[in-house]
Structure formats: C-alpha cells, structure tokens
C-alpha cells in the first residue's frame, strides 16, 4: 500500500501497539528480517533499544540478530518507557536513533507496544528526531476480545487463581484503554496514524501498509493451551509475576498442540455490567478516526454487539484442569523437550494415568518443563554465539 501519491514520504515508522494485538508476532518478524527494501527502493531498518553503560541506545544489524536469538521471547524491541527512571532521556534517545538513520537515507522502524499510552510525547519525539511528520501504526481488536485476552495475560496472575468472584472484582475497574489511547494519538499534530485490525494477519497487514517484503518470523505468543495456564497458576515458580511470560514463549517455540478451546473468563452477567463502559471507550476511538476507517473496523463482528459472544459466555469459563487437556499438554511437552535437545534421561516423570489426580499431573509436567527450559537456554546461547561470530 505505502503512502498515497503526493503524500509526504515516510521518514520513520513507529509501531505503538496495542498490547494483546499481535505485537509479539510483528516484533518477531521484524527482528528476524531487520533490513527491508521498500517497494520504492528505500532501505528500511528495524531498530531495537538496549540499555548500556552510556545509556539507552539503538541496536541494529548483526547485534540485533544476536539479541533476538538470545532473547527468551524470540524478538527484540524498545524497552517499556513506563519502567524508565528518566522519560525525557528515553524519548531523546528514540529521537536520536531516528535522526541518525534518516541522515543515512534510511527509514527506521521502531516498536514498543507501551507507546500507545504516551501520545502526548509525540511532539517531543518529533523534535528530537528532527522531522515534521511521524508515521505511527496501531493494531486494534474489539473491546471484549481485548479485555478477555488482557485478563488472562495480566489480571489472573495478580491473584494466582481463577474464581468468578475474583473476575467480577477485576471487571469493576476494567476499561477498554485502547480506545482513549488511539484517540489521543489521532489528535496529535504531526502524526500520520494508521489503524489496522488485529483480527487478521498482523505481519501481512503491516507489510501491506508500508509496501515491505516482510514475512512471519515464527509462532509467537499465541494463546497457550488452557491446561498450561492451569499448571502455571498452581506452580508459580514457573511464572512468579504477571509479566514473567517466558515459559509460554518457550513452550510455543518447541511444542505443537492440537487446536483447543481458547481461554474465556466472563459470565454473561459480568459482561453486561462492563459493556457500557467498553462501548464508551470504543466510541471515543471511532469518533477520532476518519469515517471510512471507522466504518471498516465496525464492519467486523464484536465491536458494537454482544451477539457473537453469547454462546461462549453461556458455556462458562474455560476449565483449566480437564484430564484430556493435561494429557495433551504432557504429550506436547514431551515431544517439544525432545525437539529442543533434552535427552531421554532428562525426563524425570512417566505419564500419569488418565484418572490420576492433578497433583500427579503437575509433578509429571514439571519433570518435562524443567529440561525443556534448560534445553531452550542452551539452544539460544549457541545460536547467539553463531550469529556473533558470523557462522
């Protein structure tokens, strides 16, 4: 697609999110192919950010490839600005990275899904980069889809267990934060904002938007099997905080599972309570977008009606300890551990009987997961070393 004829050329591309909208898949693809040639022949360079002794700075080329292979998540990006001690220095570093690549005649691509919450920094960033127009792209999904994904990614890990009352308390404060954030970016002067649906292929959507030959970089951060979530909730040493999602990435890298029911958390009465707030936040976004774009997004089911969700809501929350799912998880981990290079002697537990208690399954699954994590670490270290020396 690229820019429209006669439009100002793209000087820099900022992927700003949203969280739970395909960011990991896009960052993995860009990390795997950090140098791209646009349809018009211009060189596009993916930059990640890394904190060093001299402060925050950009990483590209072979060094980025080494970081990607060593990273447990399988991709690199810019660190979360919310965790920085000096936000002003952070945005200055991002702007300097853009300016340096522009001076070389390149179009830098930068990504951090947390940037969606920092639209007010756009003018400051543009000044630091020395450009008049920032191109930003954000991927979005309907509010209830997003809220359900957010609950399983963050909400449930704050309490460490699933219970309908706990879900209800979490929903009392829940909002569709994506809506107001996108509206804020759309209102910023000097920002050309692209809004794309996350329901399709995010990598393909990004590639088409900017006319780049980008292809998927592998399986990243798809919804884990429900039995894996249940296991991690019962065994928090593998996922001690809401942000320690490394185990899921390792499992997804090595293990194949048959399609299973997606995680679902909300009963109908809970959704009916939160739905008016979600619609309010969604409306703020749509009102800030061009009419044609808003119409295209609203044509997807789920933005303004609960009809697509009734059957799933009435079925109730996903069970996290179904015996057949535990058996499938064990089988997938066993194959994944072997694929990653864990030897037969590393597996410490035999497969329990179908009727075995959950405690027996947990011990057996932990006996597979631990050698899988160790084998994955060895694999990442070997790969990073090879890329470092150019083998």
């Amino acid at each position: 697609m690229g820019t429209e004829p006669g439009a100002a050329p793209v000087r820099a591309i900022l992927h700003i999110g949203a969280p739970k909208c395909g960011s990991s898949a896009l960052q993995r693809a860009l990390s795997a192919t950090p140098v791209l040639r646009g349809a018009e022949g211009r060189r596009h360079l993916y930059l990640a950010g890394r904190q060093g002794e001299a402060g925050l700075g950009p990483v590209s080329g072979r060094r980025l490839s080494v970081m990607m292979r060593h990273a447990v998540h399988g991709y690199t990006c810019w660190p979360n600005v919310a965790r920085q001690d000096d936000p002003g220095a952070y945005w200055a570093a991002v702007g300097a990275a853009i300016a340096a690549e522009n001076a070389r005649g390149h179009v830098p691509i930068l990504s951090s899904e947390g940037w969606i919450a920092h639209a007010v920094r756009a003018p400051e960033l543009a000044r630091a980069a020395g450009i008049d127009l920032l191109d930003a792209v954000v991927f979005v999904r309907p509010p209830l889809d997003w809220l359900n994904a957010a609950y399983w990614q963050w909400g449930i890990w704050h309490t460490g267990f699933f219970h309908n009352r706990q879900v209800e308390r979490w929903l009392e404060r829940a909002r569709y934060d994506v809506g107001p954030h996108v509206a804020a970016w759309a209102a910023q002067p000097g920002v050309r904002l692209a809004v794309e649906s996350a329901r399709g292929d995010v990598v393909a959507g990004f590639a088409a938007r900017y006319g780049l030959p980008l292809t998927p970089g592998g399986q990243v951060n798809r919804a884990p099997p429900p039995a894996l979530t249940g296991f991690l909730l019962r065994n928090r040493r593998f996922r001690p905080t809401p942000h320690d999602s490394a185990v899921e990435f390792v499992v997804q890298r090595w293990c194949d599972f048959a399609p299973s029911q997606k995680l679902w958390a909300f009963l109908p009465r809970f959704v009916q309570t939160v739905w008016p707030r979600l619609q309010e936040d969604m409306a703020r976004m749509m009102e800030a977008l061009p009419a044609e774009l808003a119409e295209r997004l609203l044509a997807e089911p789920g933005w303004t009606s609960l009809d697509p969700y009734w059957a799933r809501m009435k079925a109730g929350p996903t069970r996290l300890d179904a015996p057949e799912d535990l058996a499938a998880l064990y089988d997938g981990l066993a194959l994944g551990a072997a694929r990653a290079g864990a030897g037969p002697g590393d597996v410490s537990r035999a497969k329990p009987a179908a009727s075995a208690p959950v405690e027996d399954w947990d011990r057996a699954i932990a006996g597979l997961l631990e050698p899988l994590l160790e084998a994955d670490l060895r694999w990442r270290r070997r790969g990073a070393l090879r890329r470092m020396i150019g083998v």
Side-chain angles (χ1 to χ4, degrees):
M1 183 184 300
T3 56
E4 296 295 327
V10 174
R11 300 285 302 280
I13 301 171
L14 306 180
H15 167 242
I16 61 173
K20 304 310 302 174
C21 292
S23 296
S24 298
L26 180 57
Q27 289 163 351
R28 174 70 178 90
L30 289 167
S31 298
T33 314
V35 180
L36 297 158
R37 189 72 66 177
E40 76 293 349
R42 297 179 69 195
R43 184 183 174 97
H44 291 63
L45 195 68
Y46 181 58
L47 304 180
R50 186 175 185 179
Q51 195 74 38
E53 293 182 1
L56 181 65
V59 180
S60 62
R62 178 174 292 181
R63 189 173 171 220
L64 186 147
S65 297
V66 171
M67 284 178 56
M68 178 200 72
R69 183 58 187 266
H70 196 267
V72 69
H73 297 91
Y75 60 81
T76 57
C77 60
W78 284 80
N80 189 345
V81 62
R83 301 177 189 174
Q84 303 299 307
D85 295 330
D86 187 347
Y90 177 97
W91 292 110
V94 175
I98 293 173
E101 292 306 324
N102 277 173
R104 299 183 182 101
H106 302 158
V107 178
I109 303 171
L110 306 90
S111 175
S112 179
E113 66 179 17
W115 288 348
I116 190 175
H118 298 275
V120 294
R121 294 285 191 170
E124 175 186 352
L125 176 57
R127 286 193 299 271
I131 59 179
D132 298 325
L133 181 65
L134 287 171
D135 276 87
V137 59
V138 60
F139 290 84
V140 298
R141 62 198 294 190
L144 194 58
D145 285 351
W146 181 85
L147 195 64
N148 180 66
Y151 174 77
W152 290 108
Q153 180 68 23
W154 302 298
I156 194 171
W157 303 102
H158 285 287
T159 56
F161 65 93
F162 182 90
H163 189 277
N164 282 328
R165 179 54 188 150
Q166 183 260 347
V167 175
E168 185 177 26
R169 285 196 297 268
W170 185 79
L171 286 174
E172 287 171 357
R173 301 189 302 273
R175 303 294 302 233
Y176 182 57
D177 297 328
V178 174
H181 290 331
V182 171
W185 274 94
Q188 291 300 316
V191 172
R192 182 164 50 192
L193 180 66
V195 182
E196 299 284 346
S197 172
R199 276 191 164 168
D201 185 329
V202 168
V203 174
F206 181 89
R209 162 65 59 179
Y210 296 107
L212 298 172
L214 186 65
T215 56
Q219 180 181 357
V220 175
N221 210 18
R222 294 179 184 173
L228 176 61
T229 300
F231 169 84
L232 295 174
L233 284 168
R234 296 187 299 271
N235 299 269
R236 291 305 295 272
R237 72 182 188 275
F238 292 104
R239 203 187 200 279
T241 75
H243 300 286
D244 289 323
S245 57
V247 168
E248 287 103 318
F249 281 87
V250 173
V251 170
Q252 291 155 16
R253 182 154 44 241
W254 297 106
C255 303
D256 294 326
F257 299 96
S260 60
Q261 188 179 61
K262 290 185 178 181
L263 289 164
W264 183 262
F266 307 142
L267 292 171
R269 66 178 186 274
F270 300 161
V271 171
Q272 289 173 311
T273 299
V274 75
W275 185 247
R277 298 200 303 273
L278 301 183
Q279 288 295 284
E280 177 185 334
D281 294 336
M282 181 273 298
R284 287 183 61 183
M285 178 177 76
M286 296 299 177
E287 290 166 3
L289 300 180
E292 182 180 349
L293 172 57
E295 184 178 352
R296 175 165 56 84
L297 290 172
L298 290 171
E300 295 182 346
W303 283 100
T304 60
S305 172
L306 288 174
D307 289 347
Y309 303 105
W310 280 113
R312 189 65 197 87
M313 288 190 291
K314 290 178 180 178
T318 306
R319 184 177 176 183
L320 304 179
D321 61 355
E324 61 274 16
D325 288 345
L326 289 166
L329 176 60
Y330 179 95
D331 292 340
L333 288 173
L335 291 173
R339 186 179 294 128
D346 296 329
V347 177
S348 60
R349 297 278 176 178
K351 184 177 180 179
S355 59
V358 170
E359 293 78 10
D360 288 357
W361 281 107
D362 280 357
R363 284 190 290 270
I365 289 169
L368 290 170
L369 191 54
E370 287 165 344
L372 172 60
L373 296 174
E374 293 170 1
D376 178 77
L377 179 59
R378 293 193 298 270
W379 174 81
R380 287 185 284 112
R381 286 175 173 169
R382 287 196 304 270
L385 179 60
R386 290 193 189 101
R387 294 195 180 206
M388 189 178 302
I389 63 178
V391 176

